[in-house]
């Protein structure tokens, strides 16, 4: 695979990044099979692996560590994340200095490595000043435990704030952003992607297949359900008008892919990779078959007429279902933050 620069880090990464969320209890519970999938991805030219502490409560990191233990670690760009709740300790979550420093050590142990190429803050934390977060990340970089730092699912205004604080306080800055991005979830085209380009950040989109909607399982005459449907009904329940609109879009996109001579998977991944801000798109296979179906995407280049038709089906800068945005600030979810006089 032709390698792309990861923002301005000087690191070169494959156009596909192997996401490890489905390795472990959340997906493939067979460690040996998961390791085989990881090795196959690396053999196919992928050199970039992304996981997180919270994926199956650390099990994903353990599996990735097993896979890398028999390989040349220096040839793999390894990314993980911190923020989500780990266990029942109320302090074992968030973006505080205390937790970031402690959990980095835990991730290093689970991954079986002495450094992380890209350590990312998984979500914003409204209870912690970003100055504290960046200060902790800077210490980890200076100690050699982390090489680069990034954010994930941050809104544009918080990306700008973090860059500003890093410059004024002399901290390391976020060099990457990992947002949700797919044909069905294009909201970041309006603000996040232009802002990231302004600061030279590498973009590593998660869920380019829209949580399975663009993986060939949805469409006319199909079951139109997902393993995640029960857990995330707001994103999958077809009685919800926004999800019905997603299904209508998928039907049109499937026909478009057929006319273009590609699969819906290839169409969807190629669309994400077409954006000049994108360094690498995260794929999250649970099985070897799923991995194989996605490896050909970097070789697909969509014609202008196909891209124009995609824009007609889903307008640039829009999310078909607002629930797919990945993170919503509490000012919108908690009424008391908007009302001077409120009842509990």
């Amino acid at each position: 695979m032709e390698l792309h620069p990861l923002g301005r880090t000087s690191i070169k990464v494959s156009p596909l990044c192997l996401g490890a969320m489905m390795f472990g209890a959340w997906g493939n519970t067979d460690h040996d099979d998961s390791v085989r999938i990881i090795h196959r991805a690396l053999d196919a030219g992928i050199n970039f692996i992304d996981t997180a502490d919270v994926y199956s409560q650390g099990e994903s990191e353990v599996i990735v560590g097993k896979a890398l233990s028999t390989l040349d670690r220096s040839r793999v760009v390894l990314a993980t994340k911190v923020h989500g709740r780990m266990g029942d300790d109320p302090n074992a979550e968030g973006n505080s200095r205390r937790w970031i420093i402690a959990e980095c050590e835990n991730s290093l142990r689970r991954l079986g490595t002495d450094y992380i190429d890209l350590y990312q803050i998984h979500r914003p934390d409204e209870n912690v000043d970003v100055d504290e977060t960046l200060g902790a990340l800077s210490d980890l970089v200076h100690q050699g435990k982390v090489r680069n730092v990034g954010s994930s699912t941050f809104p544009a205004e918080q990306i700008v704030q973090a860059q500003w604080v890093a410059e004024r306080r002399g901290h390391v800055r976020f060099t990457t952003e990992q947002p949700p991005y797919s044909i069905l979830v294009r909201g970041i085209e309006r603000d996040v992607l232009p802002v990231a380009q302004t600061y030279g950040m590498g973009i590593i989109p998660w869920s380019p297949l829209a949580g399975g909607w663009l993986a060939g399982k949805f469409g006319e005459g199909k079951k139109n359900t997902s393993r995640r449907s029960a857990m995330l009904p707001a994103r999958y329940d077809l009685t919800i008008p926004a999800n019905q609109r997603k299904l209508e879009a998928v039907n049109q996109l499937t026909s478009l892919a057929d006319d273009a001579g590609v699969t819906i998977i290839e169409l969807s991944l190629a669309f994400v990779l077409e954006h000049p801000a994108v360094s690498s798109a995260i794929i999250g296979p649970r099985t070897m078959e799923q991995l194989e179906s996605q490896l050909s995407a970097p070789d697909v280049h969509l014609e202008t007429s196909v891209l124009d038709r995609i824009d007609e089906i889903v307008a640039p800068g829009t999310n078909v279902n607002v629930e797919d945005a990945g993170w919503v600030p509490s000012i919108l979810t908690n009424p008391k933050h908007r009302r001077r006089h409120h009842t509990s």
Side-chain angles (χ1 to χ4, degrees):
M1 296 185 186
E2 181 182 354
L3 301 184
H4 297 166
L6 185 59
R8 294 177 184 164
T9 65
S10 79
I11 297 174
K12 302 295 191 299
V13 293
S14 49
L16 297 180
C17 171
L18 181 66
M21 188 175 76
M22 288 291 101
F23 300 145
W26 289 9
N28 190 337
T29 58
D30 186 328
H31 284 209
D32 291 339
D33 188 48
S34 296
V35 168
R36 282 192 290 271
I37 294 170
I38 294 170
H39 285 173
R40 168 59 183 137
L42 296 174
D43 289 342
I46 291 176
N47 75 337
F48 192 11
I49 298 176
D50 176 80
T51 184
D53 58 349
V54 77
Y55 295 164
S56 298
Q57 291 291 287
E59 187 181 4
S60 171
E61 289 185 326
V62 169
I63 292 171
V64 171
K66 288 181 180 179
L68 297 183
S69 66
T70 59
L71 304 173
D72 181 354
R73 163 69 181 88
S74 67
R75 297 184 65 83
V76 176
V77 179
L78 180 59
T80 191
K81 300 183 282 292
V82 61
H83 169 83
R85 171 70 73 92
M86 294 291 287
D88 57 6
D89 180 353
N91 289 310
E93 65 175 336
N95 302 345
S96 69
R97 164 178 287 276
R98 181 182 191 274
W99 179 236
I100 289 171
I101 297 297
E103 187 62 349
C104 181
E105 296 292 345
N106 294 333
S107 287
L108 288 169
R109 184 185 69 254
R110 288 188 293 259
L111 290 164
T113 186
D114 56 4
Y115 70 96
I116 296 164
D117 292 290
L118 178 62
Y119 200 40
Q120 302 156 101
I121 301 299
H122 210 157
R123 291 292 188 277
D125 187 341
E126 296 173 313
N127 298 313
V128 178
D129 192 320
V130 71
D131 180 40
E132 177 180 341
T133 299
L134 291 171
L137 293 173
S138 296
D139 287 346
L140 292 173
V141 170
H142 298 152
Q143 293 166 11
K145 295 175 180 178
V146 169
R147 301 291 167 83
N148 295 275
V149 301
S151 55
S152 176
T153 321
F154 273 46
E157 64 272 16
Q158 292 199 29
I159 293 174
V160 172
Q161 181 190 26
Q163 294 287 330
W164 208 57
V165 169
E167 181 179 349
R168 295 194 69 185
R169 301 303 298 270
H171 298 318
V172 298
R173 69 183 189 92
F174 290 140
T175 55
T176 62
E177 160 61 17
Q178 185 180 135
Y181 186 40
S182 69
I183 296 177
L184 300 180
V185 186
R186 302 183 62 175
I188 64 167
E189 293 174 339
R190 184 178 299 275
D191 47 21
V192 168
L193 295 186
V195 164
Q197 286 178 293
T198 296
Y199 288 107
M201 300 173 72
I203 294 292
I204 317 162
W206 58 265
S207 203
L209 299 181
W213 279 90
L214 299 171
K217 296 185 293 184
F218 286 77
E220 192 171 346
K222 298 183 178 180
K223 291 183 178 180
N224 296 321
T225 188
S226 164
R227 296 173 67 250
R228 307 175 193 178
S229 298
M231 295 183 294
L232 301 167
R235 301 185 190 182
Y236 294 95
D237 187 347
L238 287 172
T239 65
I240 297 173
N243 290 331
Q244 191 60 236
R245 289 194 293 272
K246 283 163 72 171
L247 182 59
E248 293 167 2
V250 169
N251 287 333
Q252 296 177 71
L253 291 166
T254 300
S255 296
L256 178 61
D258 290 342
D259 292 342
V262 297
T263 67
I264 184 68
I265 290 174
E266 291 172 329
L267 178 83
S268 302
L269 291 174
F271 165 82
V272 169
L273 292 174
E274 181 66 27
H275 199 289
V278 171
S279 296
S280 183
I282 298 175
I283 58 173
R286 180 173 51 86
T287 66
M288 189 71 77
E289 180 183 15
Q290 290 175 354
L291 172 66
E292 296 290 351
S293 71
Q294 299 172 56
L295 291 175
S296 58
D299 296 325
V300 174
H301 300 286
L302 302 177
E303 299 289 340
T304 299
S305 59
V306 174
L307 294 169
D308 289 345
R309 178 61 183 138
I310 290 174
D311 287 349
E312 292 173 359
I313 296 170
V314 179
T318 62
N319 293 341
V320 179
N321 184 344
V322 296
E323 296 291 340
D324 292 321
W327 182 80
V328 180
S330 63
I331 194 71
L332 300 181
T333 60
N334 191 336
K336 73 178 184 180
H337 291 173
R338 303 189 302 274
R339 301 170 183 172
R340 190 181 305 278
H341 304 291
H342 63 86
T343 57
S344 57

